[in-house]
Amino acid sequence: MSERYYLTCIGCGSKYDPNNIIYKCYRCGDLLSVEYSGEVMKAEIASKWNLRDFTVWRYAELLPVSDKSKIVSLGEGGTSLNKCVRLGCEASLKNIYVKNEGENPTGSFKDRGMTVGVTKALELGMKRVACASTGNTSASLAAYAARAGLECMVLIPSGKVAFGKLIQAIVHGAKVIQVKGNFDEALKIVEEICATQPVYLLNSINPYRLEGQKTIAFEIWDQLHHNVPDKVIVPVGNAGNISAIWKGFKELYAAGLTEKLPEMIGIQAEGAAPIATFIRERLEKIRFVEKPETVATAIRIGSPVNWKKAVRAIEESNGLAETVSDEEILSAQRLLAQREGIFVEPAGAAAVAGLIKLADMKLIDRDEVVVCILTGHGLKDPDIILKQFSKPVEIEADIGALIKMLSLNP
Ligand code: AN7
């Protein structure tokens, strides 16, 4: 193992060469994680980071890519961290921030993972890539595969993917296959294909993808002037992102760049909440949800593959998990749009719905610094808006009609 990083099993600790095409431990079947060999020196990396653009690749020392000239990038990362005073007032909290991942090239945080994952596919000599998806992963993979010149296949649950995401996968030329089943069933099939065919799997079970996503933590630290928040609230579906962000904070800590770690808070939709139920009810065994249902189709997932990593992240960080109803999600989406000018898709709004619920339950102190991760752009799912709001009024094209209308609707 000559590389500066390697793969390790989170269950039995087995180590693997990073050039293996492997998604689970050969020995015990558990999830894999990327680890870096040698001491990562605080002063050394921080000074290099400071000189680079604010994108995922600013943090190259802690990313698992060997040949930087082969990076497949669309300028992902560097999303804004907005302080939300009006939202904070609503929840009686003083230091609320939202990280707007909808600003990424394809409109979600998945691009952070795909720039690393697709670069890795090229490094490993793969010609074809695939994923199952509730929408954003397929949109992102389709775009990055196009840029890399790779063949791309995406499996999506029939009729349950937001319109904007479906359009993205189609326009980027992916082979889009609708599966008569849910995300969990689609993932199972694609995992099987990738285990037996020369097709590279880019779901979040792929540990390289999560490496890209952990840069959310690095950026928050950068944007808070080298401070770490008290709490980070993340919507949870397949549970890769919350695990990745926690890994990022732990790496900052290990490099001596922070002395503090945040509490990780995972939010699931009521109808798709196996992890929140497992943690809240202190179950001995996780109970997957056979027929997950929620308006936030991105997180309509019943058997999250990364559940073990996510439970660890929440427990190690002294965090918690909570559920929110569809109504709470849609109301948080409206609140963000109308009080803060930020339009997110329902899954992204779940983080803010969770914030409001936890504030009501007095589980967040007024002065705490809290960051909500807004995972995807609102334009991804226009239908959900059309269902909730009435159509704009229509008038004849003359001033009289306008004045009359305004007097009727002042
Ligand atoms: C907007 O695209 O799983 O807990 O296939 O699109 O890391 O799964 C999407 C997930 C949150 C949950 N917010 O993240 C997919 C997919 C948005 C998302 C999540 C997703 P994970």
Side-chain angles (χ1 to χ4, degrees), residues 252-328:
L252 288 175
Y253 184 88
L257 294 167
T258 172
E259 285 171 8
K260 185 179 140 185
L261 286 166
E263 292 166 30
M264 300 300 298
I265 299 181
I267 305 295
Q268 292 200 293
E270 266 172 14
I275 293 175
T277 309
F278 176 76
I279 290 179
R280 280 191 319 197
E281 296 179 14
R282 298 174 198 280
L283 301 180
E284 280 189 12
K285 199 164 171 283
I286 191 154
R287 284 200 303 257
F288 292 135
V289 176
E290 220 165 280
K291 291 196 164 51
E293 218 35 271
T294 165
V295 70
T297 50
I299 51 173
R300 185 176 169 270
I301 294 173
S303 316
V305 288
N306 289 299
W307 72 269
K308 264 194 202 168
K309 284 185 178 176
V311 168
R312 263 188 212 181
I314 291 168
E315 288 179 349
E316 278 176 16
S317 71
N318 273 323
L320 55 92
E322 191 46 81
T323 57
V324 289
S325 67
D326 281 358
E327 223 169 80
E328 288 167 326

Side-chain angles (χ1 to χ4, degrees), residues 24 201 227 233 240 247 311 329 357 372 390 396 402 404:
K24 282 183 179 170
L201 180 62
N227 286 307
I233 308 187
K247 186 171 189 284
V311 168
I329 289 173
K357 185 164 179 183
C372 296
S390 48
E396 294 303 326
L402 178 60
K404 188 171 164 211

